Amino acid sequence: GFRDMLRLRYNVVAELRANRGIYDLAKMAKYATAFSHGRVRGLRPLIDDPYMVFAAEWMAERLDCQVVMLVRHPAGIVSSLARIGTGWSDNLPDIAAQPELVRDLLAPYAEELERAAREPLEPIAHGALLWKVIHAGIQHQVEHNPRFVVVRYEDLATDPMNEFRALYSRLEGLSFNEAAQDAV
């Protein structure tokens, strides 16, 4: 599935099996169109997922992905999560339920994760712990993978043109051309 995604190959048959209603069909049409459009234009996929940090080494080793870790100040993360509400509050129990992940990357937070899995934390404590475990994963993987690129969100927001130009220069196969400048 990941190989297909990275080749911008959308598996319509598999998606049809998983569809449960009209909304799912509309979403499938949107994604199938976007994948086809991207493939025809020669675009590169971008996986934007805060939990992918825990699989970054796997993605780099097995699928030859270039990894960019976008880090953000903890106050920004916590305030965003507090604003969103409790719809995201199941992430710590999901993380705690992965013993290899906790053992390999998050051992210093094992007790806190266990406690959060048993009883929900209030939003600020939850956001703070989530930030700590994500950034522990980032730190561990960047230490072991010098090719991984780390970029601060606040730097991109403050000086987007120069920071994206610098980011593009660190990635293989990208040029900060006029189209990229227009997108920024």
Side-chain angles (χ1 to χ4, degrees), residues 51-109:
Y51 305 110
M52 190 58 73
V53 65
F54 301 122
E57 284 180 306
W58 186 89
M59 296 288 289
E61 290 169 8
R62 297 232 169 81
L63 302 171
D64 196 32
C65 292
Q66 291 183 5
V67 175
V68 176
M69 304 272 193
L70 181 65
V71 298
R72 191 169 177 200
H73 190 279
I77 295 292
V78 171
S79 70
S80 290
L81 294 176
R83 189 179 62 251
I84 292 168
T86 59
W88 49 268
S89 62
D90 61 345
N91 51 28
L92 289 176
D94 288 346
I95 292 169
Q98 299 177 59
E100 294 88 5
L101 172 63
V102 174
R103 181 195 66 222
D104 296 345
L105 296 179
L106 309 174
Y109 307 103

Side-chain angles (χ1 to χ4, degrees), residues 22-179:
I22 195 76
Y23 172 78
D24 291 336
L25 289 172
K27 188 171 65 170
M28 180 191 73
K30 173 186 169 188
Y31 291 151
T33 301
F35 273 48
S36 296
H37 178 73
R39 194 174 56 254
V40 167
R41 291 189 55 214
L43 301 179
R44 290 172 53 174
L46 170 72
I47 301 171
D48 177 12
D49 185 330
Y51 305 110
M52 190 58 73
V53 65
F54 301 122
E57 284 180 306
W58 186 89
M59 296 288 289
E61 290 169 8
R62 297 232 169 81
L63 302 171
D64 196 32
C65 292
Q66 291 183 5
V67 175
V68 176
M69 304 272 193
L70 181 65
V71 298
R72 191 169 177 200
H73 190 279
I77 295 292
V78 171
S79 70
S80 290
L81 294 176
R83 189 179 62 251
I84 292 168
T86 59
W88 49 268
S89 62
D90 61 345
N91 51 28
L92 289 176
D94 288 346
I95 292 169
Q98 299 177 59
E100 294 88 5
L101 172 63
V102 174
R103 181 195 66 222
D104 296 345
L105 296 179
L106 309 174
Y109 307 103
E111 275 185 41
E112 289 178 87
L113 285 167
E114 232 174 79
R115 191 172 35 241
R118 286 192 311 271
E119 59 186 63
L121 301 172
E122 58 87 17
I124 294 194
H126 185 107
L129 179 55
L130 183 60
W131 185 91
K132 288 191 301 187
V133 298
I134 287 173
H135 284 78
I138 290 170
Q139 181 179 354
H140 174 85
Q141 293 187 75
V142 168
E143 286 172 357
H144 293 89
N145 299 280
R147 291 185 52 217
F148 286 12
V149 176
V150 178
V151 180
R152 287 177 2 118
Y153 172 86
E154 289 79 11
D155 293 340
L156 290 174
T158 303
D159 187 8
M161 203 60 72
N162 288 322
E163 292 298 326
F164 273 101
R165 183 177 287 113
L167 174 59
Y168 271 58
S169 73
R170 296 178 68 189
L171 299 173
E172 298 167 14
L174 288 181
S175 61
F176 197 70
N177 56 26
E178 191 174 320

